[in-house]
Amino acid sequence: MELEEMQTLWADLSQKIEKQDKIQKELLMEITKQKFKKKLDGIRLPEMIGSVVCYIYAMYLLSKFPELDLWYNQVFAMITILILTLLPLASLSALKGMRNVKIEEDAPAQMLEKFAKSKIRFLNVQRYGMIFGGLILVTILPPISEIQGNTDLISKPLFWAIYLPAGVLSMFFFSKWALGKYKKVIASSEQLLSEL
Amino acid sequence: MSKEEEFIHLIQENQGLIYKITLIYSKEKDEQDDLYQEIVYQTWKSFDQFKKASKPSTWIYRVGMNTAITHLNKSKKKPLMVSMDQTLFNYSEPLDSEKDEKIQWLYAQIRKLNLLDRGIMFLFLEGKNYEEIAQITGITTSNVGTRMSRIKQKLKSEASPKPTKVWN
């Protein structure tokens, strides 16, 4: 089929579509409102809840910081506070980058590039998030135990012998599963870029 | 005219265009309906920008194509919330079978192209010239020309639709 024939065919189709009845006003607004609600619930809420939980923990540790006498617990607490503060910030900012792709302003070629880049950035943040999440597994326990005056548990080698392998193993399997998913998305984003 | 009324008017005027974008960017009816809703939503969300835009048609093409591209990139298909059956957009009016077959073949060929080329081919079929296509897609006119000749070659290398057997 030649391009000219395709154009004629397309023009026929366009004519037929134009003849269709107009979409009803009520339905149009219903679609728009429901989409709007869905977006708000689906994206912002879980991210915000996660960040609030992180900040509550960070504030708790910060408020109890003067009660820590042991130097290594102070270091652990500082590391935990830093991760709990910076990780949600990085994640929210990367998500904002993805959501801020200007569908109404950018031309498709530029938008395609920006979207793929911001997606890669978001997924990288998630990847680092999992690594730091694993680090928190270790750093959060000693200061919390000292604050609660219950150092017996963490001073037992048996506890660490069970907790560490179990924690690291579950983190490893979870990360492997999640990274597999992320890698697929990164690959598709990179393919988008290369297709340009 | 209120903002809501202006928006409804804009969508009603351009619903055919939006529908055609959904046809070239998705294959399944459910996906097309979902994409249609997404384009309407994105248009509403950025409606204030539209008022500043110099050329409404360019803007609608951009929003539609950009939404289709980002929508296709989302990994999971979400369930529909509003049934689109009521829109009378079922395109149930029968075309003659040969024409229908050719149109289906045409969609299939366009969907084989990458996301940007799909948009370029769509704009070409819409009767836009290379300058207009370049302005809408954000690439240079010469790049449009190069891409169009590649698309032509690709389409030529594909077989034309096979004629259906007619039983007497």
Side-chain angles (χ1 to χ4, degrees), chain B residues 64-120:
Chain B
M65 285 167 62
N66 286 347
T67 306
I69 290 166
T70 52
H71 189 75
L72 282 180
N73 272 296
K74 285 170 191 164
S75 50
K76 279 178 190 166
K77 213 177 88 181
K78 291 163 187 98
L80 281 175
M81 299 186 78
V82 180
S83 165
M84 291 292 283
D85 290 343
Q86 304 163 60
T87 62
L88 303 173
F89 254 171
N90 291 323
Y91 195 52
S92 51
E93 190 185 335
L95 297 162
D96 64 76
S97 63
E98 195 192 341
K99 227 175 214 179
D100 191 31
E101 205 173 303
K102 280 183 177 175
I103 284 179
Q104 292 307 324
W105 178 84
L106 183 57
Y107 290 153
Q109 298 314 308
I110 296 173
R111 287 190 207 114
K112 281 182 192 169
L113 301 170
N114 72 41
L115 292 174
L116 195 58
D117 286 352
R118 238 184 272 188
I120 291 170

Side-chain angles (χ1 to χ4, degrees), chain A residues 128-170:
Chain A
Y128 287 120
M130 279 187 290
I131 296 167
F132 286 116
L135 191 63
I136 282 186
L137 269 181
V138 179
T139 59
I140 200 165
L141 271 188
I144 292 279
S145 303
E146 193 188 331
I147 290 165
Q148 292 177 346
N150 183 18
T151 46
D152 291 352
L153 189 66
I154 61 156
S155 58
K156 286 178 186 158
L158 183 67
F159 168 76
W160 289 103
I162 298 169
Y163 174 75
L164 267 187
V168 168
L169 263 179
S170 40

Side-chain angles (χ1 to χ4, degrees), chain B residues 33-92:
Chain B
D33 287 349
D34 205 21
L35 179 56
Y36 190 96
Q37 291 186 25
E38 186 66 27
I39 295 174
V40 170
Y41 165 71
Q42 290 295 343
T43 311
W44 171 249
K45 207 177 118 188
S46 49
F47 192 56
D48 290 331
Q49 288 288 325
F50 159 71
K51 289 179 178 172
K52 294 174 205 157
S54 52
K55 228 180 169 187
S57 63
T58 306
W59 186 79
I60 288 276
Y61 276 116
R62 275 189 176 177
V63 172
M65 285 167 62
N66 286 347
T67 306
I69 290 166
T70 52
H71 189 75
L72 282 180
N73 272 296
K74 285 170 191 164
S75 50
K76 279 178 190 166
K77 213 177 88 181
K78 291 163 187 98
L80 281 175
M81 299 186 78
V82 180
S83 165
M84 291 292 283
D85 290 343
Q86 304 163 60
T87 62
L88 303 173
F89 254 171
N90 291 323
Y91 195 52
S92 51

Side-chain angles (χ1 to χ4, degrees), chain A residues 1 3 10 12 14 20 112, chain B residues 20 69 88 99 126 160:
Chain A
M1 199 191 288
L3 275 178
W10 192 263
D12 272 5
S14 299
Q20 301 265 346
L112 203 55
Chain B
K20 281 183 277 180
I69 290 166
L88 303 173
K99 227 175 214 179
E126 285 285 290
S160 286

Side-chain angles (χ1 to χ4, degrees), chain A residues 2 6-7 18 27-28 93 100 119 146 192 194:
Chain A
E2 290 298 321
M6 287 181 187
Q7 270 185 315
E18 288 308 322
L27 183 68
L28 203 56
S93 130
N100 275 2
K119 202 169 171 181
E146 193 188 331
L192 270 180
S194 67

